[in-house]
Amino acid sequence: MRIHRPLLIFAATAAALATVPAAPARSADVPTAGTFYVQSAVTGLNAADSGGAVVQHNPRGNEDRQQWRLRPGGGAYVLESTDTAGSCLGRSGGRAGTVNCAAAEAPWEMSSAGADRYRLKVPGSDRYLSLGAKPSGATHPAELVLAGAGEDANWYLTPVTSPTAPMPAPDLRTLDQVTFLTSHNAYANGVDGGFAPPFVNLVPNQTRGINQQLTDGVRGFMMDIHQTPDGAILCHNSCTLVSRPVALWVDIQRMVDFLKRNPDEFVTVFLEDYVDPGVLRAELARVNGLSDVLYRPDRTGVRADGWPRMSELIAANDRLLLFTDHSRSADQSAGLTRDSFGVMYQREWTVENYWSMGSGLGSSDWSCYSRWYDANTVIPLSATAPPFRPLFVMNHFRDMAIASTAGTDNTKLADRAQRFCQPAARKKPNFLAVDRYDLGSPASAVAALNTYTY
């Protein structure tokens, strides 16, 4: 982590601002002032100063020259870099670039584009700050350009300091307002059974079994399932050479039994899913009492009405939510969709940041960006369709679960969640996924996030 840079004081004088060409009156819908990320509504990435060019980068908190101080100037607005006094997000020819805040290329007309989005227009023209044209088979280029009005010209002005409100009373809070402690590779614990070849078994992601995890307050479980002649089996990468492998139904049964003993609790399972839908359906059919507690958001109007209150879910006994990362289109081709038997497609209901912060040793990458942003799939962390808001799964772990590294990382979980990932998603995380949840007190980060709403 680089040292946090203090915010620099705006340096342009009133006389300099007076030289900015006049523009139409500012929209009353645009914030009057503040420090923001200029965040693409399409990609979820932030405008960043890169050696005089302005490009979109993965959200990175106070690092990477991504913060801009919005100020009114000469009837329009300027966006000054918090890293370089007097340097503003402006134009250079047909591209975005950093310019002197007193230059004619600095001001922007701003107007609301609806749904909390804005457009930044060059005064006296029909050109807007926009993403570059997306080449076939590629993601949007990093460099920002000037182009016509359209979806690629829509931006969020995301506050650097997240707007928050006190958490509602327990009987009023909705599912998307709550944060749950989540164990990454929960099955890879070395207690319940084997999960990988012997060498990998030496570095488990967790060191406590599923029953103990439930007792300790873990309420989200990430699990990898692979197909064998025995059904859907919990293994890491492959079930070859795994001794004493555990079947998925065994761990789901543990969770269902826990929910029966604890009628006020709610559990979510995330499947990294490498099995045929028919195999998964047969596996879940072995779980006694699953249908009694299975939550089906696809049948309860969530998309039209938003997520229900936790108290409503508890009262209805809808207390186990199952997700798969599998593709709906692939299942449709196979003739059986997983949501037909209660397993939701995760990309339709959640957003999730990229899964790794780096190797198990050395420096880490705290930037927070979508796991699902590539040439074929664009689901930014900020994706929303009010009143429905996808649940936010925040991954906070490395390639390998080295105990000392995981313990240190877990002490920084709340800081990364609030300073990096929360602004990137424009919502607070609902699931904090970690390795070795027993180290570094990630439960305290969960408790902190459960004191407020975004």
Side-chain angles (χ1 to χ4, degrees):
M1 294 292 296
R2 292 199 292 273
I3 297 174
H4 179 64
R5 298 187 181 100
L7 297 180
L8 300 175
I9 299 174
F10 184 76
T13 65
L17 287 174
T19 66
V20 176
R26 297 185 298 271
S27 168
D29 295 328
V30 178
T32 56
T35 305
F36 300 92
Y37 300 104
V38 180
Q39 183 179 21
S40 169
V42 173
T43 67
L45 306 185
N46 289 340
D49 175 13
S50 178
V54 176
V55 300
Q56 53 173 348
H57 280 177
N58 296 330
R60 202 176 176 88
N62 61 298
E63 303 176 355
D64 196 39
R65 307 170 71 87
Q66 298 183 3
Q67 296 184 0
W68 306 91
R69 187 176 291 109
L70 178 70
R71 298 177 70 95
Y77 290 90
V78 293
L79 286 155
E80 184 193 27
S81 169
T82 61
D83 291 280
T84 306
S87 178
C88 279
L89 192 164
R91 286 91 56 193
S92 177
R95 295 177 172 81
T98 50
V99 300
N100 188 288
C101 291
E105 293 78 19
W108 300 91
E109 296 175 16
M110 292 194 186
S111 60
S112 172
D116 205 25
R117 301 172 301 170
Y118 301 93
R119 286 180 178 158
L120 284 66
K121 182 175 178 290
V122 178
S125 81
D126 59 357
R127 297 187 303 163
Y128 296 79
L129 181 69
S130 182
L131 304 176
K134 183 177 181 290
S136 177
T139 60
H140 287 278
E143 191 171 37
L144 300 181
V145 300
L146 304 178
E151 188 66 23
D152 288 352
N154 290 338
W155 301 89
Y156 293 116
L157 296 179
T158 300
V160 167
T161 302
S162 296
T164 61
M167 192 73 160
D171 61 330
L172 298 178
R173 60 191 60 168
T174 55
L175 177 59
D176 58 325
Q177 293 175 326
V178 181
T179 300
F180 301 95
L181 179 60
T182 300
S183 56
H184 170 236
N185 286 353
Y187 65 95
N189 54 59
V191 175
D192 295 326
F195 61 91
F199 176 75
V200 180
N201 271 325
L202 297 176
V203 190
N205 297 95
Q206 311 298 336
T207 57
R208 298 175 181 178
I210 296 298
N211 284 334
Q212 188 62 50
Q213 291 181 39
L214 287 161
T215 299
D216 292 344
V218 176
R219 294 295 179 266
F221 299 84
M222 292 182 168
M223 297 181 156
D224 295 8
I225 51 174
H226 292 265
Q227 188 166 318
T228 77
D230 297 319
I233 304 300
L234 295 161
C235 305
H236 189 69
N237 293 333
S238 167
C239 294
T240 304
L241 302 180
V242 176
S243 61
R244 300 186 302 115
V246 178
L248 173 65
W249 78 267
V250 172
D251 275 352
I252 300 297
Q253 188 70 66
R254 290 180 170 122
M255 296 172 197
V256 170
D257 292 345
F258 171 83
L259 291 172
K260 289 180 178 179
R261 296 191 303 270
N262 298 271
D264 294 332
E265 298 294 344
F266 187 90
V267 167
T268 304
V269 176
F270 301 89
L271 298 177
E272 187 172 321
D273 189 344
Y274 301 98
V275 306
D276 294 334
V279 171
L280 180 57
R281 181 175 61 180
E283 187 78 14
L284 295 176
R286 301 180 67 181
V287 180
N288 293 323
L290 175 61
S291 61
D292 297 335
V293 295
L294 186 63
Y295 174 39
R296 296 290 302 266
D298 58 331
R299 295 182 175 178
T300 54
V302 170
R303 292 201 177 276
D305 303 323
W307 293 100
R309 294 176 180 177
M310 294 299 301
S311 58
E312 295 170 339
L313 292 171
I314 299 303
N317 207 27
D318 292 337
R319 299 188 294 123
L320 179 61
L321 180 55
L322 301 180
F323 286 117
T324 176
D325 71 347
H326 210 80
S327 161
R328 171 184 288 277
S329 60
D331 284 350
Q332 288 173 330
S333 298
L336 177 63
T337 61
R338 289 164 212 251
D339 56 358
S340 67
F341 52 89
V343 181
M344 302 295 103
Y345 291 98
Q346 191 182 343
R347 298 186 192 196
E348 299 176 3
W349 299 96
T350 77
V351 292
E352 180 178 345
N353 67 310
Y354 183 68
W355 63 273
S356 174
M357 295 190 296
S359 67
L361 292 173
S363 61
S364 59
D365 179 4
W366 276 33
S367 63
C368 214
Y369 57 99
S370 177
R371 182 176 185 178
W372 302 318
Y373 175 57
D374 56 36
N376 300 311
T377 307
V378 178
I379 305 177
L381 293 182
S382 55
T384 186
F388 170 71
R389 290 167 60 85
L391 302 175
F392 176 20
V393 182
M394 177 184 157
N395 296 313
H396 186 79
F397 46 82
R398 311 281 191 108
D399 296 1
M400 185 173 293
I402 296 175
S404 59
T405 303
T408 299
D409 286 344
N410 289 348
T411 64
K412 302 175 181 178
L413 177 57
D415 183 41
R416 184 179 181 224
Q418 293 171 330
R419 191 157 55 93
F420 285 67
C421 292
Q422 187 169 268
R426 296 173 54 82
K427 60 179 75 76
K428 74 174 188 180
N430 300 109
F431 300 93
L432 294 183
V434 298
D435 284 331
R436 294 301 305 272
Y437 76 88
D438 57 307
L439 302 175
S441 190
S444 64
V446 173
L449 267 67
N450 277 326
T451 63
Y452 67 88
T453 63
Y454 183 93

